[in-house]
Amino acid sequence: MANMAMAYGSSIASHGKDMVHKELHRFVSVNKLKYFFAVDTAYVAKKLGLLVFPYTHQNWEVQYSRDVPLPPRQDLNAPDLYIPTMAFITYVLLAGMALGIQKRFSPEVLGLCASTALVWVVMEVLALLLGVYLATVRSDLSTFHLLAYSGYKYVGVILSVLMGLLFGSDGYYVALAWTSSALMYFIVRSLRTAALGPDSMGGPASRQRLQLYLTLGAAAFQPLMIYWLTFHLVR
């Protein structure tokens, strides 16, 4: 009886595991998700440099091989989720350190900081998805792409907080201005060239204006978010 019960329990567990995997694949494509984490050390270093100083970069087109986009480790222009994920985690840890230095640290405050940042990312991605839908953009732009571009702001967030902690408010505002302008330039060039693609830039003038407004709106929103996520951490 015990063996039968164990076998039955194992069967139920296996069936439940299969159901979970099936439901997971319905909403998240694991292969697509792996693509955004296909990075190496060289890519991460170059991408961070591009995010901080994008002005000399010439070719912004995403590279393809047999109609399939190359993974990030083979194409600097490909969006990734590794840097945004690591930057978000670093931001939460850095926020805890900043609050501790100011003797304002508590688990509740740190949790509120992390959850607020996460909610804003979700809201931004949803707003971009709505904008893409309204602008009837014809591209391979997915939720993962938008999440990646939205998450790159945390690189600027980290630099701004670090400069504020090291050099006070003057260093903070200099870093804020620099990273904000660099990120705006990066977002405009990336969305118009890599994400929206040349095919989406055709069509009626009204559609082109919507696409332009979407790109500029996404770029202009980044400095506001960087400031909102950092101003309370630097005093």
Side-chain angles (χ1 to χ4, degrees), residues 78-215:
D80 73 282
L81 286 173
Y82 176 82
I83 291 176
T85 301
M86 293 296 103
F88 179 84
I89 295 173
T90 304
Y91 161 69
V92 175
L93 297 176
L94 188 60
M97 186 181 74
L99 293 171
I101 292 174
Q102 300 168 17
K103 302 187 184 304
R104 295 189 294 131
F105 176 83
S106 71
E108 293 78 13
V109 173
L110 186 61
L112 180 62
C113 181
S115 60
T116 300
L118 187 60
V119 168
W120 274 110
V121 169
V122 173
M123 292 178 61
E124 182 182 354
V125 171
L126 291 176
L128 287 173
L129 285 172
L130 178 61
V132 169
Y133 173 77
L134 295 177
T136 60
V137 174
R138 299 175 182 176
S139 72
D140 295 329
L141 198 65
S142 68
T143 303
F144 290 145
H145 286 89
L146 297 178
L147 191 59
Y149 288 118
S150 174
Y152 285 137
K153 71 168 63 66
Y154 288 100
V155 175
V157 165
I158 293 169
L159 291 177
S160 298
V161 174
L162 281 176
M163 292 296 288
L165 293 177
L166 293 174
F167 303 105
S169 60
D170 291 340
Y172 166 73
Y173 284 109
V174 169
L176 177 65
W178 179 269
T179 56
S180 295
S181 60
L183 185 60
M184 288 176 65
Y185 184 87
F186 173 85
I187 291 295
V188 168
R189 294 303 304 268
S190 296
L191 284 182
R192 285 184 62 84
T193 305
L196 297 183
D199 294 338
S200 68
M201 300 312 297
S206 59
R207 178 182 299 176
Q208 294 185 40
R209 284 197 297 270
L210 283 174
Q211 294 167 357
L212 177 61
Y213 294 154
L214 172 64
T215 304

Side-chain angles (χ1 to χ4, degrees), residues 65-80:
S65 176
R66 298 179 181 178
D67 297 328
V68 177
L70 293 177
R73 63 172 172 265
Q74 298 179 18
D75 180 15
L76 183 60
N77 295 322
D80 73 282

